[in-house]
Amino acid sequence: MNSLKYLLSLFVLTFFIHLSAFSQRDTISINTIVQKVQKLTDEHPFEKVYLHFDKPYYAVGDTIWYKAYLTSHLHAPSPLSKVVYVDVINSRDSLMETLKLPVSNGVAAGNLTLSPMSYKQGNYHFRAYTRWMLNFGDAYFFNKTISIGNTLNKDLITHITVKGEVTNKVPKVNARVLFKDENGKPYAGKKVTWRIVSKFETVNKGRGVTDQNGYLALNSDLKDQEKAGELETAISVSDDKTITSTFPLRSAFHNADVQFFPEGGRLISGVSSVVAFKAIKTDGLGVEVKGTVTDGAGATVCSFNSQHLGMGMFTFTPESDKTYKANVTFADGSTASYDLPKPRTSGIGLAVNNMSPENIIIRISATPAYLERHMDETFYIVARSAGVTCYAAQAKLNNQAFSASVPKDKFPSGIVQITLFTSTGSPVSERIAFITHSKAPSVSLTSDKPAYTTRQKVKLNIAAQYPDKPVEGSYSIAVIDESKVPFNEDSETTILSSLLLSSDLQGYIEKPNYYFHNVTEKKIADLDLLMLTQGYRAYSYRDILDDKFPAVKYFPEQGIQISGTLRMRSGMPVNRGTVQFIIPEKSFSVSTQTDAEGKFSFNNLVFPDSVKAIVSARSNANSRNMMIMLDGEILPGATSNINAPDEIVNIDSTLSPYLVNSKKLYRTAIVLSEVVIKAKSTPKPSHADYPALSGLSMMPDHLIPGDRFKGCPMLLDCLKGGTMGMTFSEENFYISRDYNSGSRVPVQVFLNGMPVDAINLSSVNSAEVESVEIFLRDDLGTVNRLYNTNGVLVVNTKKAPKGTPIKLSELQEMLPQSNLVNFNPMGYQKARQFYSPKYAVAKSGVVTNDLRSTIYWNPFVNTDATGKASVEYYNADGKGPYKAVIEGIDKDGNLFRNVYRYTVK
């Protein structure tokens, strides 16, 4: 679909209205509104990222395969950024690792091996973004929850049921935890210690013994049911082995809340109004409700029922002298009452009917008093979609109600924001709607046979078209053994649900793919309810018209950049100094000159991650008196998971079919267990080495090993987003829980036992860091009272090794040189190819079982000018349904997805 089709179509709606003049300086033309919106679009184009994964969940030891799609206006491949980042964040909001991918023609491909040394069973938060997207906040990042199970050296299988209750205003949690060994045998009569942790504090703790069936029952008071925290258990399975487990308690309480959303933003007296509502539990999931609306006298005005995931709507005409209340009954029989917004005595509003497949009906309604005051004034309707103004109209007000029918082919697929303006440019009513087209882009998958045998060759034919013409595009295909990887398709994150829906809405979207597969009239109506109840993520029109655009701090990356400043030891910048960037193992070298401020930059570099690099200024005269300061990598800090409701509490049981197969697949893989060596060891540096810190707990709340800072040129930059439980702001660290409540008492930083300012960590060589210890509490107050601080951050550097005496010249060679920097910059992730075995020729000897769950993955499938392509691969030994998923995009931003299944007998 050509994007030019959706450029501004200006319609003038003619109604018999009578103009009442405004002073010239107070009015604004519709062209001005459109031009200012276009200015935002041109100067601050938004980018979106979507990641297509080969599977919805994984196990430790697996490799995650994914493809990144980077789009801009009208979902077309973005011409802006050439680098995309992928972060992996654990359930405690700690950054595990960051991957950097090169983008070509709006796409990139990557993979991640779930090493058992780094990844444990749990829920992980994947997010993707570009540096340009940092200008608009992390709300625009791609986010997805992925659960990871484990079968390697698996000695414990758990299952928890939790229930919360409130007694005398004190929240309590009752939990029942089942402990079994790897063969499913209950751990009976085993000692268990437990504690509940919330906001890094231990709320309660206790101990118990499992019963004959392996169950442990416990109950505990909580401080806050909204932030119930986590339950940590430690079971002694033998005299010398204790296994810990962690369970989120978010789902313990089922208290629900209901919000009400008048269409257009407000209730207006005497105007028939649609009021949508959404009921959600504390875990963020929808809950079914029913109820009635009563007026101030207690008379019933109407009744209502939720129709999908706690969402519903009702229609009534409010009266000016009355107040209204919604009386709600929840699924568990509990009740609650909510005051509806007070109706405005005078006003104008906008309503939308989106159920027609061909047109969208826009209706404007005003009260008699408003009509009398604003008779013949000009009003504007502006509709935007995918960053483009697709429709604009103006009308004069002389009727109490009027409507317009707008063809849907004027809009691309996705969310359209429809806003009603006064002639002064003030937005008075707004509604979002979702546009679907009867002739949508389509891609088909067909196989050369209706059914197959195990290890048989498969050929899948691809054909893409829109509307009736072949389409060239870029696609990714994943084929999985569905019996091993079952999943609710409604809960999938797809290229359609992400780029067309979730990326434009605020907050969590439950079961986003429900609205895109097997679409029915009910699903269209349910999607319209979502539009009425979910906040739209868009820039404020008031700011746009006042020319208040986002500040641009970061520019689109065109490649890897290494930059910094060259100064004399006196601090003076070196003008026109020569600086070299060298990768010895690649025999690569490039040089540049500094500017008048001593700044230098190497742009559009290409090198893999983990290479050893050198930045040198030694070719300059008087270089011994020069020093190089590298700029840090610009990366956002770890954030909480917006899709936390998708996290799986009982991974062992929920992912059982997958983990059973994973256990067979990795049956020969052994992760070495801890071995106790009875010999004198060299103690590692810690806070315990320094008397001034002896009052701190022997164990820090969090310990970050030095190898986590590999590839980090500036220690402080990496600590800003990686100190669990702390927030960096205004050149200081703060305890996050206290900072968020308004406290500004900083954390005291120590470097090798010496108190320093946080900014001094900029000069610390990351490669020399042994560990970073984080203390969120100073129980004895020995540090807090002395320095008037709150919390402690301890940086320990590596101890110099003991050895034989060396010469002065040798010592000087070992010391870091100010005019030369050795470091490991973050490079592009090394490309790997998915291994797909070939069974064209039968192999002799022992034949191992092919237990793959991902049968085929190809991130670079391109259709030709005829819209055709094909792929070939071999089935595994699994029998049953195989599921092939294809997703992709063309140059005009048309999005494609299809699911195809075949049977292996």
Side-chain angles (χ1 to χ4, degrees):
M1 183 181 299
N2 195 319
S3 60
L4 292 177
K5 178 177 179 180
Y6 297 120
L7 294 179
L8 175 65
S9 301
L10 183 63
F11 287 81
V12 178
L13 307 182
T14 54
F15 301 97
F16 297 99
I17 348 187
H18 173 56
L19 179 61
S20 172
F22 281 86
S23 63
Q24 185 64 34
R25 66 176 181 272
D26 291 333
T27 60
I28 186 172
S29 71
I30 192 170
N31 287 337
T32 301
I33 296 176
V34 172
Q35 289 167 3
K36 286 181 177 287
V37 171
Q38 189 61 40
K39 181 181 179 182
L40 172 69
T41 301
D42 293 340
E43 298 181 3
H44 299 79
F46 285 90
E47 286 186 318
K48 296 181 181 181
V49 182
Y50 166 70
L51 300 184
H52 178 200
F53 293 89
D54 65 308
K55 288 193 289 265
Y57 46 79
Y58 300 86
V60 174
D62 288 352
T63 296
I64 297 176
W65 301 92
Y66 59 91
K67 179 177 182 177
Y69 292 89
L70 178 61
T71 69
S72 187
H73 292 324
L74 296 169
H75 312 300
S78 175
L80 301 175
S81 298
K82 304 302 180 187
V83 180
V84 68
Y85 296 88
V86 178
D87 289 344
V88 186
I89 303 171
N90 66 18
S91 58
R92 294 190 174 183
D93 300 333
S94 296
L95 182 65
M96 298 293 294
E97 60 183 300
T98 296
L99 307 172
K100 179 186 286 188
L101 305 176
V103 175
S104 177
N105 297 320
V107 298
N111 61 85
L112 172 64
T113 299
L114 300 174
S115 166
M117 301 304 294
S118 302
Y119 289 89
K120 310 300 179 185
Q121 179 165 299
N123 294 286
Y124 293 82
H125 166 206
F126 282 68
R127 69 179 184 184
Y129 55 92
T130 64
R131 184 170 293 179
W132 173 252
M133 293 170 67
L134 298 179
N135 293 301
F136 311 103
D138 56 21
Y140 289 88
F141 295 178
F142 169 84
N143 290 277
K144 180 179 172 65
T145 298
I146 291 183
S147 299
I148 297 174
N150 182 37
T151 60
L152 301 176
N153 290 14
K154 184 79 169 181
D155 294 323
L156 179 64
I157 297 174
T158 61
H159 185 90
I160 186 174
T161 55
V162 292
K163 182 179 180 181
E165 60 183 10
V166 179
T167 305
N168 297 326
K169 297 184 179 180
V170 177
K172 299 177 181 292
V173 64
N174 300 303
R176 193 164 183 256
V177 187
L178 172 62
F179 299 93
K180 298 188 295 184
D181 65 16
E182 61 176 335
N183 298 314
K185 181 181 178 181
Y187 277 120
K190 300 297 183 180
K191 295 180 180 180
V192 181
T193 59
W194 59 268
R195 67 171 185 155
I196 293 178
V197 181
S198 178
K199 302 179 184 177
F200 303 101
E201 292 185 358
T202 299
V203 177
N204 205 346
K205 60 184 178 180
R207 61 184 62 193
V209 178
T210 58
D211 63 20
Q212 61 181 0
N213 296 316
Y215 282 98
L216 174 73
L218 60 93
N219 58 77
S220 172
D221 294 346
L222 299 176
K223 287 185 177 180
D224 184 355
Q225 62 174 311
E226 297 292 332
K227 297 179 180 178
E230 295 179 326
L231 169 65
E232 296 179 356
T233 63
I235 181 171
S236 299
V237 298
S238 63
D239 292 339
D240 59 352
K241 189 170 187 177
T242 299
I243 305 175
T244 59
S245 302
T246 302
F247 308 94
L249 298 177
R250 182 182 57 257
S251 60
F253 294 89
H254 296 282
N255 297 5
D257 182 49
V258 185
Q259 291 180 294
F260 295 86
F261 306 89
E263 184 176 21
R266 62 191 64 170
L267 291 176
I268 302 174
S269 299
V271 176
S272 179
S273 303
V274 171
V275 179
F277 59 87
K278 187 172 188 176
I280 57 173
K281 299 177 292 184
T282 52
D283 60 5
L285 300 177
V287 58
E288 300 307 312
V289 296
K290 62 181 179 180
T292 60
V293 175
T294 56
D295 60 20
T300 299
V301 177
C302 65
S303 60
F304 56 84
N305 288 275
S306 57
Q307 69 182 52
H308 178 64
L309 299 177
M311 296 181 292
M313 58 176 286
F314 54 86
T315 303
F316 80 114
T317 303
E319 299 179 30
S320 59
D321 57 345
K322 291 185 178 182
T323 59
Y324 298 90
K325 182 174 293 188
N327 308 292
V328 178
T329 301
F330 297 98
D332 62 0
S334 59
T335 60
S337 294
Y338 301 87
D339 292 328
L340 295 183
K342 188 176 181 180
R344 294 199 173 193
T345 57
S346 176
I348 187 170
L350 175 150
V352 168
N353 185 330
N354 193 30
M355 294 306 295
S356 168
E358 304 299 333
N359 301 289
I360 185 168
I361 310 300
I362 303 173
R363 180 176 176 82
I364 309 297
S365 301
T367 63
Y370 190 91
L371 175 64
E372 182 178 352
R373 286 200 313 273
H374 299 279
M375 179 69 75
D376 281 346
E377 291 181 7
T378 301
F379 284 79
Y380 309 131
I381 299 174
V382 177
R384 300 173 61 211
S385 181
V388 174
T389 302
C390 302
Y391 176 84
Q394 65 182 30
K396 293 183 178 180
L397 181 66
N398 78 349
N399 287 325
Q400 196 172 339
F402 56 89
S403 61
S405 177
V406 183
K408 288 187 176 181
D409 63 8
K410 300 194 175 300
F411 306 97
S413 297
I415 296 176
V416 56
Q417 175 192 26
I418 305 169
T419 307
L420 177 66
F421 293 89
T422 66
S423 59
T424 61
S426 176
V428 292
S429 188
E430 189 169 274
R431 167 78 143 88
I432 61 173
F434 195 91
I435 301 297
T436 56
H437 296 288
S438 55
K439 292 183 178 180
S442 66
V443 59
S444 65
L445 286 175
T446 55
S447 56
D448 57 337
K449 294 180 175 62
Y452 297 87
T453 60
T454 59
R455 303 198 178 194
Q456 188 175 7
K457 186 177 182 180
V458 178
K459 182 177 182 180
L460 289 182
N461 297 306
I462 301 131
Q465 62 178 25
Y466 180 75
D468 299 315
K469 295 181 179 180
V471 176
E472 294 182 72
S474 174
Y475 303 85
S476 45
I477 295 180
V479 181
I480 60 173
D481 182 341
E482 197 168 17
S483 62
K484 295 181 175 67
V485 197
F487 196 69
N488 182 351
E489 196 159 346
D490 287 348
S491 300
E492 286 272 20
T493 299
T494 72
I495 194 170
L496 301 177
S497 69
S498 178
L499 295 181
L500 298 183
L501 186 68
S502 303
S503 60
D504 287 328
L505 295 179
Q506 298 175 357
Y508 169 70
I509 310 297
E510 185 176 357
K511 297 183 178 179
N513 197 42
Y514 163 82
Y515 307 102
F516 294 94
H517 82 280
N518 299 328
V519 178
T520 63
E521 283 194 11
K522 181 184 184 308
K523 288 189 176 184
I524 294 174
D526 293 341
L527 180 55
D528 200 46
L529 277 178
L530 184 68
M531 298 296 101
L532 286 164
T533 58
Q534 204 81 22
Y536 184 57
R537 186 179 294 142
Y539 208 62
S540 165
Y541 266 119
R542 295 185 187 276
D543 288 339
I544 294 174
L545 297 180
D546 290 339
D547 291 323
K548 296 179 180 179
F549 297 157
V552 175
K553 297 180 180 179
Y554 313 107
F555 293 93
E557 291 180 283
Q558 302 304 301
I560 300 175
Q561 181 187 59
I562 304 295
S563 61
T565 305
L566 180 64
R567 296 181 182 275
M568 302 301 294
R569 289 186 182 274
S570 64
M572 293 296 293
V574 178
N575 184 24
R576 302 192 68 177
T578 300
V579 182
Q580 286 183 298
F581 175 75
I582 307 165
I583 303 178
E585 65 184 77
K586 300 290 184 181
S587 299
F588 174 82
S589 176
V590 62
S591 62
T592 188
Q593 284 193 328
T594 60
D595 61 15
E597 297 179 347
K599 296 184 180 298
F600 64 87
S601 178
F602 301 97
N603 300 314
N604 303 331
L605 300 172
V606 177
F607 54 83
D609 198 21
S610 301
V611 300
K612 294 181 179 180
I614 300 171
V615 174
S616 172
R618 288 185 171 180
S619 61
N620 295 284
N622 200 22
S623 65
R624 289 182 177 274
N625 293 318
M626 294 180 181
M627 56 183 182
I628 297 172
M629 291 171 288
L630 293 180
D631 296 332
E633 191 81 35
I634 301 173
L635 296 173
T639 56
S640 58
N641 185 7
I642 192 174
N643 295 317
D646 288 336
E647 294 179 355
I648 299 175
V649 176
N650 291 302
I651 291 178
D652 287 330
S653 54
T654 304
L655 304 188
S656 178
Y658 187 79
L659 295 179
V660 167
N661 182 73
S662 180
K663 184 177 180 180
K664 297 176 183 177
L665 183 65
Y666 297 119
R667 66 186 181 278
T668 59
I670 299 176
V671 178
L672 295 179
S673 300
E674 179 182 358
V675 178
V676 178
I677 301 175
K678 296 182 179 180
K680 187 176 181 180
S681 62
T682 303
K684 293 185 176 181
S686 76
H687 72 283
D689 299 337
Y690 309 104
L693 302 178
S694 60
L696 297 174
S697 170
M698 289 302 296
M699 295 295 294
D701 292 291
H702 300 287
L703 178 67
I704 307 176
D707 56 11
R708 280 287 186 91
F709 303 109
K710 183 179 180 181
C712 176
M714 302 283 285
L715 177 64
L716 181 60
D717 288 333
C718 297
L719 286 176
K720 288 178 181 179
T723 48
M724 291 76 81
M726 291 185 177
T727 298
F728 186 85
S729 177
E730 299 174 353
E731 305 302 330
N732 279 303
F733 289 97
Y734 300 89
I735 302 299
S736 296
R737 62 174 181 267
D738 299 327
Y739 182 86
N740 294 335
S741 63
S743 173
R744 292 299 182 268
V745 180
V747 168
Q748 180 58 54
V749 179
F750 287 85
L751 176 61
N752 293 330
M754 297 294 293
V756 297
D757 293 332
I759 196 67
N760 291 108
L761 298 181
S762 298
S763 61
V764 177
N765 185 351
S766 301
E768 297 300 319
V769 174
E770 178 68 41
S771 65
V772 174
E773 298 175 281
I774 299 172
F775 296 88
L776 303 176
R777 299 179 303 278
D778 177 12
D779 294 327
L780 299 181
T782 55
V783 175
N784 288 352
R785 285 197 297 269
L786 180 61
Y787 296 97
N788 293 319
T789 53
N790 179 29
V792 183
L793 178 71
V794 181
V795 177
N796 303 301
T797 60
K798 297 175 181 178
K799 289 185 177 180
K802 294 182 179 180
T804 58
I806 61 174
K807 297 178 181 179
L808 177 60
S809 59
E810 293 174 327
L811 176 61
Q812 290 174 337
E813 287 294 325
M814 294 175 60
L815 294 175
Q817 304 297 310
S818 63
N819 58 9
L820 183 143
V821 178
N822 290 278
F823 70 119
N824 298 94
M826 180 187 294
Y828 291 132
Q829 184 188 31
K830 295 178 181 178
R832 290 176 56 197
Q833 187 171 0
F834 178 83
Y835 172 69
S836 183
K838 296 181 179 181
Y839 297 119
V841 179
K843 294 184 178 180
S844 59
V846 179
V847 178
T848 59
N849 290 331
D850 186 346
L851 301 174
R852 290 173 297 144
S853 55
T854 297
I855 310 302
Y856 182 72
W857 166 255
N858 190 339
F860 297 118
V861 178
N862 298 306
T863 52
D864 58 20
T866 66
K868 303 291 181 63
S870 64
V871 297
E872 296 179 349
Y873 57 91
Y874 289 82
N875 292 322
D877 287 338
K879 297 181 180 180
Y882 279 34
K883 176 182 176 181
V885 177
I886 183 170
E887 295 188 331
I889 190 171
D890 70 5
K891 62 181 178 62
D892 292 322
N894 295 304
L895 307 178
F896 299 81
R897 186 177 194 269
N898 195 14
V899 177
Y900 177 77
R901 290 177 171 87
Y902 64 87
T903 303
V904 176
K905 300 179 180 179

